[in-house]
Amino acid sequence: GDSLVLPLEQVNRNMVDQVGGKMANVAEIHNSIKAPTPPGFVITALAYDRFMGHNDLQPEIDRIIQTADSERLDDLYRLSAHIQRLIMTSGVPGDLEEEIFRAYEKIEVQMGTGVSVSLRSSAVGEDALGASFAGQFKSLLNVSHDDLIDSYKEIVASKYGLQGITYRLNRGIPDEDVAMCVGCMAMVNAVSGGVMYSCNPMNFRDRSILINSVWGLPKAVVDGSVDPDVFV
């Protein structure tokens, strides 16, 4: 793929290597099933490579990881903070910034000026056999136009949170195999929200639909900070 940013309309499930599993699936729901999804776009794996290359980050990150003692948590914690700081203080290539703002402006046309968006990780390899990166990376909600670029960097940096680094080291997943794509979607002004399973995750013979929900944004369901309402 040679696109830095792709609107959801142009994404399908065969583009996992460009957009990550999460956003490929969201696009599939949007384009094939025609279920209502907020408008959005993906900042691609190519954009990630360009950002990392623009700042010559990968060789430096590899060097830092190789010098760490993976048995020592304090060592890994220090290394994680160091790498995340490196990413946050790096510049995003000008053409990538322009494309992100242009894609955001297209969402504004549909949803109104100054619309808030969510930015979420969509790592390549996230849904690979035997690997689950669930909960390792950041999602940011209610992001404004002015915070788009910093928020993008924050999600890229979350690849190097303590959890992510230790998981990849323990699984022997090479760091450069995981490109951090980022999905951006308009925020819905939610009265309530939640997580739905199309069948019981604890018992696959049980075909009941399970919904866990809360008032307001469903982030509290995902991070486990509240006891949600349960509907079967």
Side-chain angles (χ1 to χ4, degrees), residues 95-163:
D95 56 342
L96 175 54
E97 266 196 35
E98 273 173 39
E99 289 216 26
I100 292 170
F101 285 130
R102 204 175 303 135
Y104 170 81
E105 280 152 19
K106 285 183 181 156
I107 296 181
E108 277 190 312
V109 170
Q110 285 176 265
M111 302 295 287
T113 308
V115 60
S116 292
V117 291
S118 65
L119 268 72
R120 56 193 69 238
S121 62
S122 181
V124 172
E126 192 160 9
D127 304 318
L129 206 60
S132 169
F133 301 164
Q136 287 182 23
F137 310 130
K138 264 213 164 125
S139 288
L140 296 171
L141 306 181
N142 291 323
V143 176
S144 69
H145 172 280
D146 294 350
D147 291 333
L148 276 172
I149 303 303
D150 275 348
S151 298
Y152 169 67
K153 289 196 288 188
E154 207 174 314
I155 290 172
V156 171
S158 76
K159 177 185 161 181
Y160 296 98
L162 196 57
Q163 245 187 318

Side-chain angles (χ1 to χ4, degrees), residues 76-225:
L76 288 174
Y77 190 79
R78 199 164 48 244
L79 149 164
S80 161
H82 182 170
I83 295 174
Q84 291 190 71
R85 202 161 47 243
L86 267 182
I87 290 169
M88 289 308 295
T89 53
S90 293
V92 172
D95 56 342
L96 175 54
E97 266 196 35
E98 273 173 39
E99 289 216 26
I100 292 170
F101 285 130
R102 204 175 303 135
Y104 170 81
E105 280 152 19
K106 285 183 181 156
I107 296 181
E108 277 190 312
V109 170
Q110 285 176 265
M111 302 295 287
T113 308
V115 60
S116 292
V117 291
S118 65
L119 268 72
R120 56 193 69 238
S121 62
S122 181
V124 172
E126 192 160 9
D127 304 318
L129 206 60
S132 169
F133 301 164
Q136 287 182 23
F137 310 130
K138 264 213 164 125
S139 288
L140 296 171
L141 306 181
N142 291 323
V143 176
S144 69
H145 172 280
D146 294 350
D147 291 333
L148 276 172
I149 303 303
D150 275 348
S151 298
Y152 169 67
K153 289 196 288 188
E154 207 174 314
I155 290 172
V156 171
S158 76
K159 177 185 161 181
Y160 296 98
L162 196 57
Q163 245 187 318
I165 290 177
T166 45
Y167 185 85
R168 289 193 298 278
L169 283 172
N170 291 336
R171 288 300 184 98
I173 300 170
D175 187 67
E176 57 275 9
D177 282 9
V178 181
M180 184 59 86
C181 311
V182 176
C184 177
M185 296 175 82
M187 291 290 296
V188 173
N189 196 358
V191 174
S192 61
V195 176
M196 182 176 92
Y197 288 98
S198 52
C199 70
N200 186 342
M202 311 305 277
N203 175 8
F204 66 90
R205 287 191 185 83
D206 176 4
R207 305 303 294 170
S208 308
I209 291 173
L210 264 66
I211 300 170
N212 289 270
S213 65
V214 292
W215 294 111
L217 295 170
K219 195 175 195 296
V221 175
V222 182
D223 64 22
S225 61

Side-chain angles (χ1 to χ4, degrees), residues 15-30:
M15 295 163 74
V16 171
D17 289 348
Q18 289 176 61
V19 300
K22 189 184 291 174
M23 292 313 292
N25 288 332
V26 170
E28 196 69 19
I29 290 167
H30 179 77

